Amino acid sequence: MTMAMVWVLLLVTAGLSMATAGPVPTSKPTTTWKGCDIGRFKSLSPRELEAFKMAKDALGNSLKNWSCSSRLFPRNRDLRQLQVWERPVALEAELTLTLKVLETMADRSQGSILDQPLHTLRHIHSELQACVKAQPTVGPHPQGRLHHWLHRLHEASKKESQGCLEASVLFNLFRLLKKDLECVASGDLCV
């Protein structure tokens, strides 16, 4: 490789890392479903994580007084408890609720603090939807623990106050980004 090609490659890489289009792939996908490339989200860039932290800090201060009738995201909930094929389904449902709540918050706020986090989450969500649609399913309806988790998320948007949903989503945000997304992106290597 010539020195000029090295510089071009370096400049392109630097330019991509500064772009706001979405997470940069960090590895080859670990899933084998056609059209599914979720493996690139094993870790988000420091810049993306900082945008989430800024949004959480800015919005979290307004959510100090909240109460929920139940824990929307219990601490003992762990995607590793699910079968590998169930994990993207659970994460997709979690992302759907997260996007819905954050979009409502963004509509109410005058600032653009949620612009970058929402852009990133929408990108991840669309990739995840492709994975969920492309994967083989074991049965027509979710069963067991997956069914319970999906039902809990679905019912929360009906039963819980908007303040509870906002607080729950914000407090769960980094778990979603760092633990749940990483587990799904790791496929069968998440044990």
Side-chain angles (χ1 to χ4, degrees):
M1 196 184 292
T2 68
M3 186 57 116
M5 289 176 67
V6 170
W7 277 107
V8 169
L9 184 58
L10 182 63
L11 290 172
V12 169
T13 303
L16 287 175
S17 68
M18 293 172 59
T20 60
V24 176
T26 57
S27 67
K28 293 184 179 180
T30 57
T31 53
T32 57
W33 307 306
K34 185 178 180 182
C36 181
D37 189 14
I38 199 71
R40 70 170 115 182
F41 300 114
K42 280 186 185 176
S43 63
L44 298 178
S45 74
R47 183 169 179 228
E48 288 166 322
L49 290 174
E50 182 61 26
F52 280 101
K53 182 183 181 322
M54 287 173 50
K56 182 181 177 191
D57 291 347
L59 298 170
N61 291 331
S62 64
L63 298 172
K64 290 183 179 178
N65 298 323
W66 60 277
S67 64
C68 298
S69 60
S70 64
R71 278 189 83 81
L72 183 54
F73 302 105
R75 286 189 181 112
N76 64 349
R77 181 190 61 80
D78 188 341
L79 288 184
R80 293 177 298 179
Q81 297 170 339
L82 299 174
Q83 295 181 37
V84 173
W85 73 268
E86 293 175 318
R87 294 171 187 168
V89 176
L91 182 59
E92 195 269 334
E94 187 178 347
L95 264 169
T96 298
L97 178 63
T98 299
L99 278 167
K100 180 180 174 185
V101 170
L102 291 179
E103 286 168 347
T104 300
M105 293 174 80
D107 289 343
R108 283 196 330 253
S109 70
Q110 299 300 320
S112 59
I113 191 76
L114 284 171
D115 288 352
Q116 180 59 40
L118 281 171
H119 176 79
T120 302
L121 288 174
R122 286 182 190 121
H123 180 67
I124 293 168
H125 188 250
S126 68
E127 293 289 326
L128 194 55
Q129 283 179 316
C131 292
V132 169
K133 289 177 185 173
Q135 75 178 351
T137 56
V138 172
H141 300 289
Q143 300 291 321
R145 190 171 273 136
L146 175 62
H147 172 73
H148 177 72
W149 287 2
L150 296 178
H151 180 73
R152 175 183 224 130
L153 290 173
H154 179 71
E155 290 298 309
S157 60
K158 296 178 189 175
K159 294 181 179 179
E160 298 295 348
S161 69
Q162 186 64 27
C164 171
L165 292 173
E166 290 173 2
S168 296
V169 162
L170 281 177
F171 294 131
N172 185 63
L173 196 54
F174 280 93
R175 178 178 167 174
L176 181 150
L177 294 170
K178 293 186 104 7
K179 188 174 182 183
D180 295 346
L181 181 58
E182 181 179 326
C183 181
V184 170
S186 297
D188 57 357
L189 299 176
C190 178
V191 288

